[in-house]
Amino acid sequence: MSNSSSISHFLLLPFTGTRQLQLLHFCLFLAIYLAALLGNSLIITTIAWDHHLHTPIYFFLLNLSILDLGTISTTVPKSMANSLRDSRSISYAGCVLQLFFFVFLIIAEYFLLTIMSYDRYVAICRPLHYETLLGSRACAHMAAAAWACGLLYALLHTANTFSLPLCQGNAVHQFFCEIPQILKLSCSTAYLRELWLLVASACLFFGCFVFIVVSYVQIFRAVLRMPSERGCHKAFATCLPHLAVLSLFIGTGFFANLKPPSISSPSSNLIFSILYSVVPPAVNPLIYSLRNQELKAAL
């Protein structure tokens, strides 16, 4: 048995023990990572350089692409490097940093998606007040709040998680360091502090989820009352990409963390973790670029 002070590294869960399949995993992750890198970089560059896209919705989309790039860059490169070197190891400091940045970016993205639903609500339900409610300063403050909340959340959870004594070995049953898997290594009842923090966080996330649902209920009610079919189509066209990204992000994240124990196994955990940590950053640029005529024209 060991404690946290004697742990110098952690062992991540490998995708496979066969060398040929490890190289296949490296190639697949490399392709996904390059696609995410290219797609998000194109969106960031296009929005930054095209002054026609300097509007609230594209400002938030630029922030979303930055967060997606950060999220996939936190987990995928290390996994690829381990597969290429036939290794499972990650240093203690590397695990702390990986958990911190992943939590920081994923939580900031959730808050940003909540803000983007408010942007769509104001644009469709209160168009005459759009410039007033979502001016450049207000947008900057809301985006900064999303980043700051993610940073504070990550600091609290990372500090609390790694302050626990870890005496159940150093094998993390995941391909990257995440809070639930680190908590499983604790042998102290002090982990209840982290559980209470997670419960409080769940209440906050549920509040954001309710806000998103209420916003879209109001949006769909307003859209269905529109007399013009063209206006109705345009409103749906601006909302559907955000709704698709929300569904992918929230659906995969909730299912990965709240799935029934009967279908929980190391292999299923790997698959579900890929669905919420790797797939959304790679797919989001495609969703937005396919449905957004202004962005396609600018590209």
Side-chain angles (χ1 to χ4, degrees), residues 102 197 207 259 262 264 274:
F102 182 77
L197 195 55
K259 60 184 179 296
S262 58
S264 181
I274 290 173

Side-chain angles (χ1 to χ4, degrees), residues 139-153:
C139 290
H141 287 167
M142 286 189 285
W147 286 81
C149 289
L151 179 63
L152 178 61
Y153 184 94

Side-chain angles (χ1 to χ4, degrees), residues 117-130 133-134 214-226 235 238-239:
S117 68
Y118 174 70
D119 168 75
R120 292 298 83 208
Y121 163 77
V122 175
I124 293 172
C125 299
R126 304 183 65 184
L128 297 179
H129 299 89
Y130 189 76
L133 295 174
L134 287 164
V214 171
S215 297
Y216 268 98
V217 168
Q218 296 298 321
I219 287 170
F220 288 134
R221 287 177 61 187
V223 169
L224 293 175
R225 288 198 300 263
M226 287 181 178
T238 60
C239 289

Side-chain angles (χ1 to χ4, degrees), residues 107-125:
I107 298 304
E109 181 165 341
Y110 183 65
F111 286 125
L112 186 68
L113 288 170
T114 305
I115 293 170
M116 291 174 75
S117 68
Y118 174 70
D119 168 75
R120 292 298 83 208
Y121 163 77
V122 175
I124 293 172
C125 299

